[in-house]
Amino acid sequence: MDSNNLLAAWPVLGPGVAGAVFGAGWWFWVDAVVCSAAAVPFLHYLPGFFASFAALMFNCVNREDIGDGYYSPYDDSEWRVKLWLFISYVVSFVSLAGAVGFLVQDALTDTGPSAWTGTAGILQCVFVLVSGLIYWTCHSED
């Protein structure tokens, strides 16, 4: 398959790939929670929820809206779109940082969940955010 065929098939195959990656990220987390010997506190769930929300946030923006040819009949609002993207990326990186913090906390204490729960939280955030970026590159308004 040459690159032209791959580029033509990307809008068709991309959402499926993004969904599979998203499902794999949540599968890591569910596996870690189900197999955990200790109860997993609700705070450990938050990075995954915020990563999913951040993926939803940056998928609300069209790629065509951030280019030089952007036109809005209401006002010069390109900065609003870029601000929305910036906030969504901040939320995504904060969720990833929270997952890393929970991994460190789980690795240093013996009373809470195992280190696998923290590792699964990081994998969940990474996979969810990568799936959001995959979907952002393949969807269009057509």
Side-chain angles (χ1 to χ4, degrees):
M1 180 182 270
D2 62 0
S3 63
N4 290 336
N5 289 340
L6 183 62
L7 289 175
W10 185 241
V12 175
L13 298 176
V17 172
V21 172
F22 184 86
W26 275 96
W27 178 80
F28 278 117
W29 178 248
V30 169
D31 177 65
V33 170
V34 169
C35 295
S36 177
V40 179
F42 179 72
L43 285 177
H44 282 66
Y45 288 79
L46 291 180
F49 290 143
F50 280 112
S52 299
F53 181 66
L56 177 70
M57 283 176 67
F58 62 75
N59 274 295
C60 290
V61 175
N62 294 331
R63 287 178 292 153
E64 294 83 20
D65 291 348
I66 57 173
D68 293 332
Y70 177 70
Y71 171 72
S72 174
Y74 303 108
D75 196 6
D76 184 28
S77 60
E78 182 181 358
W79 67 271
R80 291 181 186 145
V81 173
K82 290 182 179 179
L83 180 64
W84 181 259
L85 276 177
F86 176 74
I87 291 171
S88 67
Y89 288 133
V90 166
V91 170
S92 66
F93 289 127
V94 166
S95 68
L96 189 59
V100 170
F102 285 131
L103 170 64
V104 170
Q105 177 185 352
D106 293 343
L108 294 179
T109 61
D110 292 334
T111 58
S114 66
W116 166 240
T117 307
T119 305
I122 291 175
L123 289 173
Q124 176 195 23
C125 287
V126 168
F127 277 45
V128 165
L129 294 172
V130 166
S131 75
L133 289 174
I134 290 171
Y135 187 74
W136 190 68
T137 62
C138 70
H139 83 285
S140 65
E141 288 294 315
D142 295 339

